Amino acid sequence: MTHLKTHFLIFLFLLTGGTSYCQTVPIAWNVSSEKQVNGHYLITVKGIIPKGWYVYAKNDTANQITAIGISWDNPHILKAPDLEKEDSPEFSNPQTIHDKIFENKLLRVYKNSLQFIQPIEIDGAIPPILKITIHGFAANGKEFQPIEEEKTLVFAGSAVQSTNQSSQIKLSTVDLSNPKANCGSELKNGSEQKTGKENKGLLSLFLLGIAGGLIALLTPCVFPMVPVTVSFFTNKAKTKKEGVQNGVIYGFCILLIYLLASLPFHLIGNISPEILNSISTNAWVNIIFFVIFIFFSLSFFGLFELTLPSGLINKTDSKSGLGSLAGIFFMALTLATVSFSCTGPILGSLLVGSLSSNGGAWQLTAGMGGFGLALALPFGLFAMFPNWLKKLPKSGGWLDIVKKVLAFLELALAFKFLSNADLVQHWGILKREVFIGIWTLIAAGLTFYLFKKNLRIFAFIVLLFVWYLCFGLTNSKYANLKLLSGFAPPLSYSMYTKENSQDERLKPMFINDYAQALALSKKEGRPVLIDFTGWACVNCRKMEEQVWTNSEISGLIRDHFILVSLYVDDRKKLPESFSYKTKAGSDKDIITVGDKWATFQSENFGQVTQPLYVILNPDEQLMNLPVGYTPDIRQYKLWLECGLNTQKELSKN
């Protein structure tokens, strides 16, 4: 009976003309080549399979099923089974199912996506292109369809490939200043406008800098300096007015020193708009910061004293004896240098966090300004109101407790930088549960220390945080620790065999290649939702774990868009690098996957920060203005609906 059913299906396929039937399964195909040695290549075929369908992975002669494969009409290109390579783990392995079409027989199939690699050997000259045919069979439990699709393969290293790759960067159809609908974000005429949202971001970092400065004030290196320095000004001054004036100038000089420290980053930022992103996501830079923060934490734990070179301190201190403004300025510089062992780790956390943020140098300046202002205010205020000095608490053991607490915090931050490097390089050494486990142990150590110091209220607060972290170690729905979104590795980077993607409801639609997404968009008539993201992007994780998980958002994306996530910090090398001439006229080497997508983003959409969301129709026209980080679910939904409705209106015309 099974044989008769199979023969009938094949006969029906031939009777209806064959080729008209095989296009009913809208599989998005992508083919590429990787050059080996001595005329050997690896041809990689990837496919995105529609929901409900599956592709047969193994030959079954009894049922006359042919596994998915490729063929070509060129006698000089031979299959080379000795070069066989395993499937990439990023795509699903074949599954075993009970196939209803063949009376529940156990068969091996691909679902959601597939990839296979065919080694070949070229006898003679390497052709620039090769026409290949993808063939096999697909089914959905009710229908059984042959697959036969022709694709053009460009061989890696050929002149044709370099031209094609360069042309993939700039989209001539995208007009950033004239989207089809004027709804969206802070992008207009290709440049970022100073919106309330951006100003809010600068204000947030300024306030964060003030918080860091206030914490630094409570450290043993800074706090004892306040009464000593203010007393020096008031006692040395001939009049009260002069003492107040010198104290205020001293505080202003402290603020000025920290503002000037951010100036070099403005100069760096002017060299290349992508350099701050490259610094913050570079694996080795993050490893250096990991080592530095471990070093800082050990210093705070009291293993050694962290100081700047004595020659530098002595030089600045000697100049503090100069009269007038110059002497006061160098006194402020002396404070900044001698207190480095306490302020350095706190300031370092602020500096690195600002470099990772959208806006780079200006956000760093805002943070440094807040930090300097918090340090400067007490000196100015106590100079104006010297009686307040009597109310200051005396230096003592509480300063050492503050320092030890900071040591635990620095230790936790150190592993964040190591996690950034691990994510970008895909080493797999700090999976989500390992990272959370390390933070749990650090928090538990801090809890024990606070109990030992009889600070029970603070100890119980940290103990609650330990309890919260423990949920992140489980393989359950409670593992999504929203308070840590962006700090801990994403749910997809898990130790558990079950894939915890950002949202299981979106899982079938995740694509990481623009050409692949566009092909599927053209087949299904749905717009492409481009997600410019990064492995080390904090706000990207927040969007994925707090906005995309909303049922309305996930349903809207799954049912109406083709979602493609392009990682601008992916350090995986392209099969063949190439040079691209930017719209500014400079030549840029495109070596890694991240280079390609970062350039693709900046050239077409005038932005180098992530996340950035863009909606294009199947003709690659911009539907509405792109948006960045949008934590408000309602606003993000309205933006999605605007782009979708615009595409539908264009389709009708």
Side-chain angles (χ1 to χ4, degrees), residues 528-544:
V528 178
L529 173 59
I530 305 177
D531 162 36
F532 288 105
T533 184
W535 287 107
C537 173
V538 173
N539 285 340
C540 301
R541 299 294 87 77
K542 289 182 179 179
M543 287 293 294
E544 292 163 359

Side-chain angles (χ1 to χ4, degrees), residues 85 93 128 231 379 389 407 498 532 613 635 645:
K85 188 177 177 181
N93 293 321
S231 297
F379 294 96
L389 289 174
K498 175 187 175 183
F532 288 105
Y613 303 103
Q635 288 184 6
N645 293 334

Side-chain angles (χ1 to χ4, degrees), residues 114-400:
L114 65 87
Q115 171 178 296
F116 63 89
I117 298 174
Q118 174 62 60
I120 63 169
E121 181 180 0
I122 301 175
D123 182 17
I126 298 173
I129 61 173
L130 175 67
K131 296 283 187 180
I132 67 172
T133 302
I134 305 171
H135 49 73
F137 290 92
N140 62 3
K142 297 178 182 179
E143 300 174 71
F144 178 84
Q145 305 288 352
I147 298 170
E148 189 170 346
E149 183 158 341
E150 190 176 85
K151 303 290 290 184
T152 299
L153 175 71
V154 180
F155 281 102
S158 68
V160 174
Q161 191 223 22
S162 296
T163 303
N164 284 354
Q165 291 209 52
S166 295
S167 65
Q168 289 175 7
I169 297 290
K170 187 73 177 95
L171 302 179
S172 59
T173 53
V174 171
D175 185 356
L176 190 57
S177 60
N178 294 296
K180 297 302 177 182
N182 192 29
C183 56
S185 74
E186 57 273 14
L187 291 185
K188 190 176 182 181
N189 298 324
S191 63
E192 188 173 352
Q193 302 298 306
K194 301 294 181 181
T195 62
K197 183 187 292 186
E198 183 187 351
N199 292 333
K200 183 180 177 182
L202 291 175
L203 178 61
S204 298
L205 271 171
F206 179 73
L207 295 175
L208 186 64
I210 289 178
L214 292 175
I215 293 172
L217 273 173
L218 300 177
T219 58
C221 313
V222 180
F223 186 81
M225 297 288 289
V226 176
V228 172
T229 306
V230 173
S231 297
F232 170 79
F233 281 128
T234 54
N235 293 332
K236 188 177 180 182
K238 296 177 181 178
T239 64
K240 182 179 179 181
K241 182 179 179 181
E242 184 182 350
V244 171
Q245 179 180 316
N246 289 341
V248 171
I249 293 174
Y250 181 73
F252 175 77
C253 289
I254 293 173
L255 172 61
L256 182 63
I257 287 167
Y258 284 101
L259 285 174
L260 290 175
S262 70
L263 183 61
F265 294 94
H266 286 273
L267 301 177
I268 293 174
N270 289 333
I271 295 172
S272 168
E274 298 171 25
I275 193 167
L276 291 178
N277 183 64
S278 299
I279 291 173
S280 65
T281 60
N282 182 278
W284 300 112
V285 170
N286 275 280
I287 288 174
I288 290 171
F289 279 122
F290 166 72
V291 174
I292 289 173
F293 273 63
I294 292 291
F295 191 69
F296 281 154
S297 66
L298 294 178
S299 172
F300 273 179
F301 277 124
L303 272 69
F304 51 84
E305 188 67 27
L306 181 65
T307 59
L308 289 174
S310 58
L312 177 63
I313 296 174
N314 292 335
K315 191 173 183 179
T316 55
D317 187 48
S318 63
K319 293 183 181 294
S320 65
L322 298 175
S324 67
L325 291 176
I328 296 175
F329 176 82
F330 279 103
M331 281 188 67
L333 188 58
T334 301
L335 172 72
T337 52
V338 299
S339 63
F340 177 77
S341 61
C342 292
T343 60
I346 302 169
L347 195 56
S349 306
L350 174 67
L351 184 147
V352 178
S354 299
L355 283 178
S356 304
S357 303
N358 298 347
W362 279 112
Q363 293 196 345
L364 176 61
T365 299
M368 296 281 274
F371 188 89
L373 181 63
L375 285 181
L377 273 177
F379 294 96
L381 289 174
F382 283 117
M384 290 191 294
F385 306 101
N387 289 333
W388 289 3
L389 289 174
K390 299 176 182 179
K391 298 180 180 180
L392 276 180
K394 301 296 182 182
S395 301
W398 67 273
L399 288 175
D400 185 63

